[in-house]
Amino acid sequence: MNTTTILNFDLAHLNRWKNYFPNTYWVNYKEETWRDVRNMILLQRPGVDQKEESIYPFLTVRRVGIPTLKTGNNLSAVNRGVRHPEEEMRYTFSWYELRYNLDIFTAERNSLDELSIELCDTFLRNPNINIETEDETQKILSANLIYQNITDNSDLTGAEEQMRIFRATIEYTSDAQIIRKFRHLRVDDPIIEFVRR
């Protein structure tokens, strides 16, 4: 039985960036970003006219790839874990690495520059994140955010025909502690086989 899932971590990352910049959305596919963001704006603010009111600037968060098992896991924690006698459970721990992209979309170059600086600074000022779980024993986990890179992805081709969109992508990684529960031997329900001779 799993007590932490990757969804717990994804939601925590979305909420973290939402706290810095409320106009932040989760997207699964880079190609469908604008469609997904416009749909989420309509869900959050029904009736808003997106032709009259600019949707920019906004941030999008997405996880890239699948969780990667970290080298240097504690084998004792992975195999035996910690015993919780009150629950008659044994908790095991393993560490994974998650990769995220934080994309900044703006209609002005100055806004892109300011947001890029502000968001990159958060990795220095507040380089960790709290993850809420459904488990009673371990309600909150903490993980580090490790800045990797920032790239200017602005596509200014055909700017005469359409509105210019400036875009930057911040790449970062984060640790994910995956906790599993295993039923321990209960005193009132022993699993013992008797053999008569």
Side-chain angles (χ1 to χ4, degrees), residues 1-5 73-95 133-141 177-186:
M1 172 169 47
N2 219 350
T3 64
T4 54
T5 66
N73 264 293
N74 183 326
L75 291 180
S76 176
V78 173
N79 293 320
R80 291 185 50 78
V82 177
R83 182 180 173 206
H84 289 274
E86 311 85 43
E87 297 184 15
E88 297 295 348
M89 290 283 181
R90 187 171 283 282
Y91 287 57
T92 62
F93 309 85
S94 54
W95 288 92
T133 70
E134 292 82 28
D135 187 64
E136 287 299 316
T137 308
Q138 194 105 21
K139 291 184 179 179
I140 293 180
L141 300 174
Q177 184 183 26
I178 300 300
I179 302 172
R180 290 184 175 83
K181 280 187 190 178
F182 294 99
R183 191 177 179 81
H184 196 68
L185 178 66
R186 295 180 62 95

Side-chain angles (χ1 to χ4, degrees), residues 88-105:
E88 297 295 348
M89 290 283 181
R90 187 171 283 282
Y91 287 57
T92 62
F93 309 85
S94 54
W95 288 92
Y96 287 80
E97 183 179 81
L98 306 177
R99 291 183 299 134
Y100 290 92
N101 279 2
L102 178 66
D103 288 295
I104 308 163
F105 293 86

Side-chain angles (χ1 to χ4, degrees), residues 20-21 57 59 104 106 108-122 125 150 166 168 170:
Y20 282 105
F21 195 76
L59 307 180
I104 308 163
T106 69
E108 299 172 350
R109 170 59 81 181
N110 286 343
S111 298
L112 182 73
D113 294 341
E114 288 172 14
L115 277 169
S116 298
I117 291 170
E118 189 61 36
L119 293 170
C120 286
D121 273 355
T122 64
R125 285 183 274 133
I150 185 167
F166 298 91
I170 298 174

Side-chain angles (χ1 to χ4, degrees), residues 20-195:
Y20 282 105
F21 195 76
N23 205 14
T24 302
Y25 306 95
W26 180 269
V27 294
N28 288 317
Y29 304 104
K30 181 172 66 172
E31 297 77 19
E32 298 170 7
T33 295
W34 278 277
R35 187 199 69 189
D36 289 349
V37 167
R38 288 184 184 279
N39 289 343
M40 283 183 272
I41 288 172
L42 284 177
L43 286 173
Q44 292 173 14
R45 296 157 53 205
V48 65
D49 188 347
Q50 296 182 17
K51 292 179 181 173
E52 303 272 327
E53 189 175 340
S54 176
I55 64 171
Y56 302 99
F58 66 83
L59 307 180
T60 62
V61 186
R62 66 187 173 94
R63 185 164 41 82
V64 184
I66 59 173
T68 308
L69 183 65
K70 293 195 75 165
T71 57
N73 264 293
N74 183 326
L75 291 180
S76 176
V78 173
N79 293 320
R80 291 185 50 78
V82 177
R83 182 180 173 206
H84 289 274
E86 311 85 43
E87 297 184 15
E88 297 295 348
M89 290 283 181
R90 187 171 283 282
Y91 287 57
T92 62
F93 309 85
S94 54
W95 288 92
Y96 287 80
E97 183 179 81
L98 306 177
R99 291 183 299 134
Y100 290 92
N101 279 2
L102 178 66
D103 288 295
I104 308 163
F105 293 86
T106 69
E108 299 172 350
R109 170 59 81 181
N110 286 343
S111 298
L112 182 73
D113 294 341
E114 288 172 14
L115 277 169
S116 298
I117 291 170
E118 189 61 36
L119 293 170
C120 286
D121 273 355
T122 64
F123 289 95
L124 301 173
R125 285 183 274 133
N126 189 12
N128 37 14
I129 186 171
N130 290 329
I131 298 97
E132 294 182 7
T133 70
E134 292 82 28
D135 187 64
E136 287 299 316
T137 308
Q138 194 105 21
K139 291 184 179 179
I140 293 180
L141 300 174
S142 185
N144 294 326
L145 301 179
I146 300 143
Y147 170 85
Q148 300 290 331
N149 191 20
I150 185 167
T151 309
D152 186 354
N153 294 323
S154 302
D155 182 10
L156 302 179
T157 58
E160 291 75 23
E161 294 94 28
Q162 59 189 0
M163 178 181 173
R164 289 179 186 230
I165 302 301
F166 298 91
R167 177 176 158 233
T169 302
I170 298 174
E171 300 167 27
Y172 70 96
T173 59
S174 178
D175 297 335
Q177 184 183 26
I178 300 300
I179 302 172
R180 290 184 175 83
K181 280 187 190 178
F182 294 99
R183 191 177 179 81
H184 196 68
L185 178 66
R186 295 180 62 95
V187 175
D188 58 352
D189 185 22
I191 307 169
I192 301 173
E193 293 182 9
F194 293 95
V195 179

